[in-house]
Amino acid sequence: MPEEKVPLSFYSAYDTRTLARNLLGCELVHESPDGLTSGIIVETEAYLQDDPACHAFNRRTPRTEPMYGRAGTAYVYLIYGMYQCFNIVSNAEGIGEAVLIRALQPTAGIELMEIRRSIRAGKAPMTPSAARITLKELCRGPGKLVQAMGIEKGMHNATLLSGGTLYLRPQVTAPQEIIEGPRVGINLGRELPYRYYIKDNIFVSKA
DNA sequence: GTACGGATAGTCT
DNA sequence: GACTATCCGTACC
């Protein structure tokens, strides 16, 4: 399988909402020491600088610094004190915007995903015949996909461009139909329709 | 299969 | 010290 990474222009050429749409159908890949895992992005949310739900809405702080960096940078933050969320920085440098990845359709490293998810969930590691987390539950939600993919807070501010082990492959085929609607789990800015997902895809976190 | 409550820690004021 | 928003176990149907 040839390594074909999405280039900088993909992340920087369009506004954040367009990027959030264009990311659907792309494949997120992580080459970790434990093995390779990957999944097709089926659900995203855009976070804009003039949007009260965006971490960069108020002030430029140490935590949000990567959001102002080059497009194609990873922005990883802690949520609920116990889960991480994975975002991709968009737009030009100096503009604090990003796209949250909310769900994946697993494509490779399924067994490794099951192990990571089981361990993090406090269950015994998988055995082949053991009761398992089902395929569609593996990456259905921002915290889940971070666990399954082995993304860690150390990857905060890492680049998805050349040189890294975490990157995107381009769409093989464009999604047939994209639904947009309100984002999940936020109060401020909840009326903004900045959530995008592939219609009828069973791997989205919430229809 | 839906519904509810509890766990948790980093960031900023 | 206030604020933040996901996952999971349990209950119940």
Side-chain angles (χ1 to χ4, degrees), chain A residues 63-84:
Chain A
R63 179 181 61 144
T64 60
E65 192 60 28
M67 290 185 82
Y68 296 88
R70 186 170 65 169
T73 298
Y75 174 67
V76 181
Y77 67 88
L78 179 80
I79 190 169
Y80 288 109
M82 49 197 328
Y83 301 104
Q84 309 287 338

Side-chain angles (χ1 to χ4, degrees), chain A residues 6-207:
Chain A
V6 163
L8 173 62
S9 59
F10 178 88
Y11 299 107
S12 62
Y14 300 99
D15 68 273
T16 299
R17 279 173 289 176
T18 302
L19 175 62
R21 286 178 163 273
N22 291 348
L23 284 169
L24 296 175
C26 291
E27 190 175 30
L28 179 65
V29 184
H30 182 203
E31 297 173 5
S32 84
D34 298 330
L36 184 147
T37 47
S38 62
I40 295 169
I41 297 172
V42 300
E43 181 180 353
T44 60
E45 287 180 359
Y47 286 84
L48 277 56
Q49 194 153 14
D50 62 352
D51 154 20
C54 180
H55 284 181
F57 178 64
N58 286 322
R59 203 158 309 283
R60 194 160 166 162
T61 68
R63 179 181 61 144
T64 60
E65 192 60 28
M67 290 185 82
Y68 296 88
R70 186 170 65 169
T73 298
Y75 174 67
V76 181
Y77 67 88
L78 179 80
I79 190 169
Y80 288 109
M82 49 197 328
Y83 301 104
Q84 309 287 338
C85 285
F86 169 67
N87 301 254
I88 297 173
V89 173
S90 62
N91 223 311
E93 290 192 44
I95 298 180
E97 302 194 347
V99 177
L100 170 67
I101 308 301
R102 280 198 58 88
L104 302 176
Q105 175 174 342
T107 51
I110 308 294
E111 197 172 324
L112 179 54
M113 289 185 181
E114 289 173 343
I115 292 167
R116 285 173 174 154
R117 291 268 294 116
S118 300
I119 291 171
R120 300 288 189 92
K123 297 176 184 169
M126 304 309 309
T127 59
S129 60
R132 56 178 51 191
I133 297 169
T134 63
L135 183 63
K136 73 175 186 182
E137 290 168 342
L138 239 26
C139 298
R140 194 171 62 169
K144 292 178 182 178
L145 99 237
V146 163
Q147 291 177 181
M149 292 291 291
I151 295 169
E152 296 175 11
K153 59 175 184 285
M155 302 173 116
H156 187 52
N157 206 21
T159 182
L160 306 184
L161 305 173
S162 62
T165 58
L166 183 66
Y167 57 90
L168 257 65
R169 290 190 190 128
Q171 293 174 344
V172 178
T173 56
Q176 311 85 323
E177 194 172 348
I178 295 172
I179 308 289
E180 72 174 40
R183 291 170 293 183
V184 175
I186 60 171
N187 289 313
L188 266 35
R190 66 182 170 284
E191 70 284 357
L192 298 169
Y194 292 172
R195 174 170 177 254
Y196 306 91
Y197 61 91
I198 299 177
K199 187 188 182 195
D200 294 333
N201 187 293
I202 64 166
F203 295 93
V204 306
S205 69
K206 181 166 162 285

